[in-house]
Structures are given as structure tokens and as C-alpha cells.
Amino acid sequence: MTNLLNENNYGLFFKLIFLGLLDAIGIWASVLLYFQGAYGFIVALLLGAATINYVFLSDRTYPIRYMVPGLIFLFAFVVYPIGYTFYLSTTNYGTGHILSKQQAIESLKGQYYQPEDPVSYSFEAYKNNQGDIKLILQSNTGDKTYLTGGEKLTEVNLGNERFVDSDEDGTIESFGDYELMSRTEVIGVLQKLQKWKPEANGVALQMSNLTTFDQRISRYEYLEERDRIRDRQTGELFRPEEGTFVSTTTDRSLEPGYKATVGLENFSRIFTDPMITGPFLRVFTWTFIWAFMSVLTTFVLGLGIAIILNDSRLRLKPLYKGLLILPYAIPAFISALIWRGFFNTNVGIINTKLLQPLLGLSPAWFQDPLLAKVAVLIVNLWLGFPYMMVVCLGALQSIQPELYEVAKVDGASPFQQFRKITLPLLMVSVGPLLIGSFAFNFNNFNIIFLVTRGEPPIVGATTAGSTDILISYTYKLAFGGQGATQYGLAAAISIIIFLIIGTISAINFHYTGALEEMSENV
Amino acid sequence: MFNTKSIFKRFWSWFSDRGFKHLIMFAVLAFVLYPIIWIISASVNPVGSLSAQSLVPDNPTLENYRLFFLGGANKYDAPFLLWLWNSLKLSVLTGLIGTAMSALAAYAFSRFRFTGRRTGLLSLLLVQLFPQMLAMVALYFLLLQIGDLAPWLGLNTHTGLLMVYLGGSLGFHTWLLKGFFDSIPHSLEESAQVDGASHFQAFIRIILPLARPMLAVIFILTMIFVYSDFILASILLQDSSQYTLAVGLKLFIFGSYNQRWGIFAAAALIGALPIVAIFLSLQDQIVAGLTQGSVKG
């Protein structure tokens, strides 16, 4: 009994140290995050820490303690990303809509135009001992004089005594510790000066030649109270509409746009925007055909081999089984990359060693949509049938041999035995696995992306290829690096995939009664 | 007695009974082994190009294997060994930590009755229906944001990718293990608890040792999944020195099949070896685990 108490005390001791450390780290991290302005993370962190403290201190929540480590990762990297995907699917996030609205307005304000008759400023450059450079700019109209260090224009009066013009030729020789630079010296820093765009009150200057800066005017101004952008050059007004500033009078819109929620816009684009609908429907259809054909081909071959191997009198059975399982043991990404080489039109061994010598053919596997589809199905058959073989073999062995004896006595042909006994009994145990295999192949990214990369391209489509399935299409939209990235659209397609997979799983649960069984067992 | 007709008859009856089965098996074996034999042949072929390949190479050499182990010093400047190490590191760590977390959660679901237990189990199952890779865009931005605050946890780090894998490995394996724990009689722990062991001690000393075979299967399934993952690693890792073998090998060979075929063949074979070895030695258990749920990637 004393022993038990001691151990409990140890437990309490370690628990308090653990929680103390955790809270200390949590508070320290919150302070750091506060200075970074990451308030969302702070809320998540504090909620998480509070929950953990509660779970470890209250006796009622004892079982939850075992789940804490897993739940942290499950929430952070599965549940939260699912929610975030739903959120992203309602935004226009992507190329041209990366910035926040405020950043987009700033970016627009940074665009300048040169008025038809710009005011020119002649300049002299000055340098101090540290190598800093300043310019004195005088307008050709003679009414403005500015001093600048590169960013801000400060209006100055050269009559001030700090500006020294000892020879009284009208050119200032020095001010403060800055000394006049010769034109040769100016040429030395030309590259630097060309990048300068000093500005004040919407007036910006930019170097136009060795002696002058020209005036540029900030093209857009933001009218805050009306939430409009005004184009100073044309006088046009732009109103914000779902992440883009669009003209109120013409069909012009401004670049860049900004990130905004657009409701179900992405989903409606999938079904109405002709640039997307066509490719999407082809990808969508092929995804189903691909998943179905993958299951069908691997199952037929796997079952056929299983039936042959199920013959107990067959010699060499372990050898056959051992060798046939090999493709399944090799990681799929490696097999896919190898097969991509084999299918190479000019140098791949399928053409050079098999088809060319035997049939005189040399098909361009990845340029023809149909052949590319055949190629990925062949690869998938190669690495997928051993799974079906093993599964069917297990299921066949559980069928009682007496059933066949009886059938033979009744005069059933082998084919009838197969149809009436083998197949129905097999389906009971293998059926759900076929649906599972369908769902897996539905998202079989590795085979598609690593064998054909979704190619050949669909004519008229920017991103989608003939062998792309929904998941590889999503990947290309978001990370493809070809053309514009469309995170919002990619997230919307993820949601569609999720709905399809969810439906398939629901069918599977219904079919096997697994959910009811699980509900009873839990 | 020499009778041609009877020999032919006997052969035919053997053939139609079993012989044709061997014939079919040979055909399937040819389909299965053809690529494997070619890739082995390519890996020892001194001519490293795909177009110049022959089934039986002249002057076979282990040069390609030597290049593999040279790391960044090989003529392709591709750190294969580092990529392999990265893959193995991530798979083993995800396997170990993921299995431990699943086992802890499964123990609670199996041995305790508490409010929210049922809901918890069913939600775990539903969450798992959402393949993690569907959230790839969200995961990318999540790690991007985390990386702004803690660069060692963000994009292009193994810790970040490891956390993502851990999140994804949990749901289904918890179910699998819970089922297994349910089948272990309670009497064993109860007698230990009478002797003064706490729940946690009973879990560590009694349940875990008994569940060792199942834990091994889950460890290996997780490992194989992580080792074979391409999509998440390719999104979340950005530098060559961080790549896993899947990402590195793809970038290495895409677009350069003809020139780099020989060294690629060696790298592919070495890369496949750890998984093939594990798979073949534990084949029955792995297939049993797989048929209860997910399909290998």
C-alpha cells in the first residue's frame, strides 16, 4: 500500500513539473507570437494549453490524457487544414489575388504615369564622407526646389545660409558635410540614382537623363470614404468587386487584385466558365474511368492467378507466389518512374526492344491521349494486381471444398461453379476491398503524376492534361508552376473530391454494415 | 511398349489439367519480371544511357552503385545517399511516434468508458475519410505561416513534414489497435492492478508487449506510406538537401531519362531495397493489416 502511494506521489510530482514546463513554454511562445502579431496562433496555443492543463489535472478526464499527443497533431494537421480548405475554396486566392486589399491599394498607388507635359527638375548631386548621396532638384519653372536622399522630397529654400555658394554661380557647392559631386562622379553612381523614385504628395520624380529628373504622378488614388479607386490620368472610378477593382464606366479592371471571399464563385466557375468546365469535365470523367478500370484490370488478373494458384496439386506454387508479389513490394513511386522510362517513345525498351522488332511499331505513348491512358493502366496493372491476387487467394481458401463436390455431383460445369459458387462467396469478403481500392485509385496521384504527369495536354486547356485525375489537376492548379496558380479553385476541387470519396465510403459502409457493426462495438 | 499416341494422350491430359496453368504462370511471370530484369541489367551496364541498353550488358560494372554512394561528389551532383537517409529518417520517426500515439489513444478507447467516447471514435473514422493530401493547399499555407514564426517548424523542414505525417497517420491506426486491444482479456491488467500497478503501468508492461505483432504491422505500414509519399513531400520540401528519395529521384530523372538511366536504375534498386526486404519478410502480417483498411501507396 505504501508502495502504491509513493508511486502516485511520483506521478503527481512529474505531472506538475511537466505541466509547469508546458505552461512556461506556452507563455513564452505567446509573448513571442504577440510581438509577431500572430494573434490566431496565440488563441490556438492558449486554448490548447488550457485544455491540456484541465485534462491532466481533473480526474474525470483521465482517459483523455492518453489521447492528447495524437489529438494535437490530428487537430493541427488534419482537422484545421480541412476547415481551412473549405475556407480557401470560397476565396479567389491565387495569382493576381495574393495581396490583402490594403497591400493591393498600396501597390496601385505605387504605379505612376508621366503627364503629357511633365515638369522637369535639373539636379546636382552631393556626397558626404560616409558616401551618402543627396540631390538638390530645381524645377524648370523655377518655383520649386527639393532636397532628397532617395525616398522623400523635402522642399527647401536655397537662400538658407547652410547652402554654400561661394563663387555665386547659382550652383550650391556644399551644405552640411555634403560636397558637390562632379558629373564624372555622378556617372559612377548612375545605377543607384536610376532606381530612385523620390516623392511627396503624389508627385514622384524619376531620372530621365544625366542632368534631369522628370515629374511622374501617382496614377491611382484611393477615396477612402467612398471605397473607390480613382484613375488620375483618365478620371475613371473603380469599385472593389470580389477581389478586383473594376471600372464603373468601362470594362477595365486593375492589376493587382486582392484576396477576398467570393462565396461559391469557384464552384460556379467549375460548371459555367468555359475555360474550366470543358477540361474539368474531361478530368472528372477520366478519374472515374481510371479508378474503375484500375480496379477491374487488377481484380481480373489477380483473381485469375489466384484461381490457378489455389490448385493444391500445382507444383512451384510458392515460387510463383513469391515472384508475383514483387511489384507490390516495390514502392510505387519507384515503379512509376521506372515505367516512365520504359514507355519513352524514342529510347524506352517497350518500343525499342518489344514493339519495334516484333511488330514494327513505335507508338508515341505520351503524346497520344488514348495511348497515354493505356500506358498508365498497364503500369497500374503491373503494380496493383498482386494485392488482388493475395486478397483473392485468402478468400478462395476460405470457401468450403464440399460446395464444389456437391456442385460436381449435380453436374455443374467449371464455369457454372465459378459463377454460382466462387464469385458470390468471394464478393462477400472482397467486395468492400474493391470499393476501397476504387477510392484509393481515385486519388492515386503517384502513378498518374510520375508516369505521364497528366500529359498530353488537353487542347485548349491551360492546366489539365488527358491523363490528369482530379487530385493531380488540383496539384497542378496550386503548385504546377505552369501559368497562374489558383489556390481557391484548387481548394474547391479538393472539396468536390472529398464529397465523392465521402459518398463512396458511405456506400461502402452501407454495403458492409461496417458502421453499424462499429457503432455496436464501440 | 512404345506408343506415340498414348504419350501424346497423357501429355494432353496433363496439359489440359495442370500444364496450361504453368503456361499462364510463365506468361504472367514474364510480364512481372521483364521490367525488373531490365532495370537490374541497366544498373550494371557501363553505358549509362537508355537507348544503348541491352539485356545482357557487355563488361558489367558496379560503377553506378559507386556513384550512388558518393553523394554530392558524383558527376551528377545528386546527393542520393542524403535523400535516402531523409526518407528513412522521416519514415522511421513517423512510424515510431505515430504508432506510440495511436497505441495510447487506442488504449483509452478500449479500456475506459467516458462521455464522448462513442462520438470520438466515430469522428476519428469520419475525419480519416478525408485523405490528408486533399488539404495540400491548406497544409502548404499552414506551414508557410508557422515558418514565419518558427523557421525550424515551417516549410522546407523535416520537423514540419513529420508533424504533417503524424497528423495523418493517426485515425485509422487507432481503430485497428483498439480492435486488437479489445481482444486482450482484461483479467491480465486487473491482476496487475491488484498488485499496485497504475493504468499507465499496466498499459506499458502488459498491453504493449502483448500487442507487439500488431504494433509492428502499424509501424511498418506507416513507414511504407511515408517512404512512398511523393505529393506532400514535394509540396512542403524545397531544397535539394531536404528532399526525400521520392522527390529527389523524380527531379533527378524527369527530362533526363536517356542520359541518366544507368545511375537512376541503381538508385531505384537501392531505394526499393529497404521496403522490399521489410515487405517480403512480413508479407502475411502486412497484407492482413492492409485488407482491414487502407491500400498501400
Side-chain angles (χ1 to χ4, degrees):
Chain A
M1 207 55 198
T2 26
N3 185 26
L4 179 72
L5 273 174
N6 277 341
E7 288 204 4
N8 274 348
N9 283 339
Y10 272 129
L12 188 66
F13 179 66
F14 282 120
K15 188 162 83 183
L16 288 178
I17 287 192
F18 163 72
L19 286 179
L21 271 175
L22 186 87
D23 291 345
I25 294 172
I27 291 167
W28 172 71
S30 304
V31 173
L32 285 188
L33 290 173
Y34 175 79
F35 286 116
Q36 305 258 17
Y39 305 116
F41 280 111
I42 299 182
V43 172
L45 192 73
L46 293 181
L47 274 180
T51 315
I52 291 173
N53 278 298
Y54 175 69
V55 164
F56 277 89
L57 290 173
S58 161
D59 283 336
R60 279 182 50 218
T61 53
Y62 179 79
I64 311 291
R65 292 176 201 173
Y66 290 86
M67 302 177 197
V68 163
L71 285 181
I72 291 174
F73 288 100
L74 194 71
F75 270 104
F77 296 102
V78 180
V79 178
Y80 172 74
I82 292 175
Y84 196 56
T85 304
F86 272 91
Y87 162 72
L88 279 173
S89 74
T90 66
T91 70
N92 59 1
Y93 207 11
T95 304
H97 299 277
I98 294 286
L99 306 173
S100 70
K101 186 174 176 186
Q102 200 51 46
Q103 287 169 322
I105 291 170
E106 289 307 317
S107 162
L108 286 170
K109 280 181 179 168
Q111 295 181 17
Y112 293 91
Y113 75 102
Q114 198 166 5
E116 277 175 31
D117 188 18
V119 183
S120 285
Y121 290 78
S122 60
F123 74 91
E124 295 295 344
Y126 300 84
K127 192 162 79 174
N128 70 1
N129 294 333
Q130 280 87 52
D132 300 329
I133 295 170
K134 287 204 169 175
L135 302 183
I136 290 177
L137 299 135
Q138 279 185 289
S139 66
N140 51 7
T141 52
D143 57 348
K144 293 271 187 202
T145 309
Y146 290 113
L147 178 69
T148 183
E151 282 168 9
K152 272 212 148 359
L153 287 173
T154 322
E155 197 160 358
V156 289
N157 179 3
L158 293 184
N160 189 309
E161 59 190 14
R162 62 190 261 248
F163 296 102
V164 182
D165 179 13
S166 44
D167 55 6
E168 296 192 347
D169 63 348
T171 304
I172 305 294
E173 276 102 40
S174 68
F175 62 92
D177 59 345
Y178 284 87
E179 298 284 340
L180 180 65
M181 294 165 75
S182 70
R183 281 295 142 192
T184 339
E185 280 179 296
V186 171
I187 292 171
V189 295
L190 206 56
Q191 279 199 324
K192 190 173 174 184
L193 293 185
Q194 276 172 339
K195 286 183 198 138
W196 283 17
K197 281 166 190 167
E199 61 164 298
N201 312 321
V203 173
L205 303 185
Q206 195 177 9
M207 196 175 193
S208 54
N209 62 48
L210 263 182
T211 57
T212 47
F213 269 63
D214 278 346
Q215 185 190 359
R216 268 137 213 270
I217 297 177
S218 173
R219 180 155 182 189
Y220 301 102
E221 64 176 330
Y222 180 56
L223 311 172
E224 199 154 359
E225 66 284 1
R226 293 166 63 196
D227 194 19
R228 294 282 185 276
I229 295 266
R230 197 174 77 89
D231 183 339
R232 286 200 176 96
Q233 192 178 13
T234 64
E236 244 174 310
L237 279 179
F238 295 84
R239 65 185 144 78
E241 198 178 280
E242 295 193 331
T244 312
F245 289 106
V246 283
S247 167
T248 47
T249 44
T250 65
D251 56 1
R252 240 182 88 199
S253 60
L254 301 180
E255 296 276 345
Y258 57 93
K259 188 182 167 187
T261 37
V262 293
L264 297 178
E265 171 78 14
N266 285 317
F267 295 94
S268 74
R269 266 173 79 205
I270 291 173
F271 298 106
T272 54
D273 182 343
M275 283 293 289
I276 299 172
T277 308
F280 174 81
L281 286 180
R282 288 182 63 167
V283 170
F284 185 84
T285 322
W286 164 242
T287 309
F288 275 90
I289 297 175
W290 152 256
F292 178 77
M293 288 303 289
S294 295
V295 176
L296 186 72
T297 51
T298 53
F299 177 63
V300 167
L301 185 62
L303 176 59
I305 294 168
I307 288 173
I308 294 175
L309 288 182
N310 199 34
D311 182 344
S312 52
R313 296 166 306 160
L314 193 74
R315 263 177 274 173
L316 301 173
K317 206 169 106 174
L319 177 75
Y320 289 142
K321 208 183 142 193
L323 287 175
L324 291 180
I325 196 84
L326 268 180
Y328 191 57
I330 300 173
F333 77 91
I334 290 181
S335 311
L337 289 173
I338 292 175
W339 276 95
R340 181 174 166 88
F342 288 162
F343 275 113
N344 188 299
T345 306
N346 298 319
V347 291
I349 55 161
I350 291 179
N351 278 4
T352 59
K353 309 289 189 234
L354 276 181
L355 297 181
Q356 185 64 37
L358 297 178
L359 302 168
L361 295 173
S362 188
W365 287 99
F366 299 145
Q367 272 88 62
D368 182 87
L370 183 66
L371 286 177
K373 288 172 182 178
V374 171
V376 282
L377 281 170
I378 290 176
V379 176
N380 195 59
L381 175 63
W382 185 81
L383 56 87
F385 87 85
Y387 171 72
M388 294 294 185
M389 172 185 88
V390 174
V391 162
C392 290
L393 209 51
L396 286 177
Q397 276 157 1
S398 67
I399 298 176
Q400 292 168 340
E402 296 83 44
L403 289 172
Y404 294 106
E405 305 291 332
V406 175
K408 259 185 221 163
V409 172
D410 286 351
S413 72
F415 182 68
Q416 278 173 321
Q417 290 176 28
F418 174 76
R419 270 207 50 203
K420 303 279 177 185
I421 301 173
T422 314
L423 210 52
L425 285 175
L426 194 74
M427 276 304 171
V428 174
S429 55
V430 179
L433 297 178
L434 294 186
I435 301 180
S437 175
F438 182 91
F440 174 79
N441 280 302
F442 198 88
N443 286 326
N444 198 339
F445 179 85
N446 276 6
I447 305 299
I448 297 294
F449 194 75
L450 298 180
V451 174
T452 64
R453 207 166 24 173
E455 287 163 3
I458 292 174
V459 180
T462 44
T463 310
S466 301
T467 52
D468 262 323
I469 54 176
L470 288 169
I471 187 86
S472 63
Y473 182 47
T474 310
Y475 177 90
K476 284 171 157 185
L477 281 174
F479 305 105
Q482 301 149 330
T485 52
Q486 306 191 57
Y487 298 120
L489 185 63
I493 296 178
S494 287
I495 301 295
I496 293 179
I497 302 177
F498 176 47
L499 293 180
I500 298 169
I501 295 292
T503 312
I504 295 172
S505 303
I507 295 171
N508 206 4
F509 282 141
H510 179 74
Y511 183 75
T512 57
L515 207 58
E516 287 79 8
E517 191 187 314
M518 284 167 175
S519 307
E520 281 160 23
N521 283 342
V522 293
Chain B
M1 295 291 276
F2 189 77
N3 188 336
T4 339
K5 209 172 175 185
S6 103
I7 284 179
F8 180 77
K9 238 182 177 171
R10 280 176 55 195
F11 173 78
W12 178 248
S13 94
W14 171 82
F15 183 80
S16 58
D17 184 36
R18 272 169 294 160
F20 78 99
K21 294 182 174 175
H22 288 286
L23 201 67
I24 296 175
M25 280 297 127
F26 283 143
V28 179
L29 272 182
F31 172 56
V32 164
L33 295 180
Y34 187 77
I36 298 178
I37 291 168
W38 272 106
I39 203 77
I40 293 173
S41 139
S43 75
V44 295
N45 196 327
V47 187
S49 76
L50 183 52
S51 53
Q53 222 197 320
S54 55
L55 196 52
V56 185
D58 305 326
N59 313 313
T61 147
L62 293 178
E63 173 65 12
N64 286 325
Y65 291 90
R66 197 179 70 85
L67 284 176
F68 179 96
F69 287 104
L70 278 181
N74 62 41
K75 62 178 170 181
Y76 303 100
D77 198 26
F80 297 108
L81 211 54
L82 181 64
W83 294 340
L84 181 65
W85 165 245
N86 290 345
S87 282
L88 287 173
K89 184 174 74 178
L90 280 166
S91 345
V92 170
L93 282 178
T94 313
L96 285 177
I97 305 174
T99 310
M101 291 191 319
S102 302
L104 279 168
Y107 178 70
F109 279 123
S110 169
R111 287 302 192 259
F112 299 105
R113 295 291 174 267
F114 50 94
T115 38
R117 176 173 170 277
R118 232 180 108 86
T119 329
L121 270 172
L122 291 179
S123 351
L124 207 56
L125 194 70
L126 291 178
V127 163
Q128 215 50 35
L129 291 181
F130 189 95
Q132 201 186 12
M133 61 179 165
L134 286 186
M136 56 183 145
V137 181
L139 285 169
Y140 175 81
F141 284 111
L142 178 60
L143 284 205
L144 186 73
Q145 284 157 8
I146 293 178
D148 279 345
L149 305 164
W152 51 279
L153 272 177
L155 279 183
N156 200 27
T157 64
H158 290 159
T159 33
L161 184 57
L162 175 69
M163 294 194 306
V164 172
Y165 286 144
L166 285 177
S169 77
L170 203 71
F172 179 71
H173 295 154
T174 304
W175 265 96
L176 218 58
L177 273 171
K178 180 206 161 267
F180 192 85
F181 290 167
D182 283 346
S183 70
I184 299 175
H186 292 228
S187 52
L188 289 168
E189 300 148 84
E190 277 157 13
S191 61
Q193 275 157 5
V194 168
D195 290 345
S198 68
H199 279 296
F200 188 67
Q201 286 166 334
F203 167 66
I204 297 283
R205 301 213 184 122
I206 296 169
I207 301 288
L208 284 190
L210 286 173
R212 211 179 284 150
M214 197 62 187
L215 293 172
V217 168
I218 285 174
F219 168 75
I220 283 161
L221 288 181
T222 313
M223 223 196 101
I224 293 178
F225 172 81
V226 171
Y227 194 90
S228 311
D229 172 66
F230 173 81
I231 186 165
L232 289 173
S234 85
I235 291 168
L236 302 177
L237 300 177
Q238 296 162 332
D239 288 338
S240 173
S241 62
Q242 297 291 91
Y243 288 162
T244 59
L245 192 66
V247 180
L249 215 50
K250 184 256 176 187
L251 292 174
F252 175 76
I253 193 66
F254 255 54
S256 315
Y257 266 98
N258 198 18
Q259 305 89 309
R260 296 179 167 184
W261 184 244
I263 172 80
F264 166 76
L269 284 171
I270 297 176
L273 198 65
I275 301 299
V276 173
I278 294 172
F279 191 92
L280 293 185
S281 54
L282 290 164
Q283 194 179 321
D284 294 339
Q285 292 91 319
I286 292 174
V287 172
L290 286 173
T291 46
Q292 289 181 51
S294 60
V295 179
K296 173 181 149 272

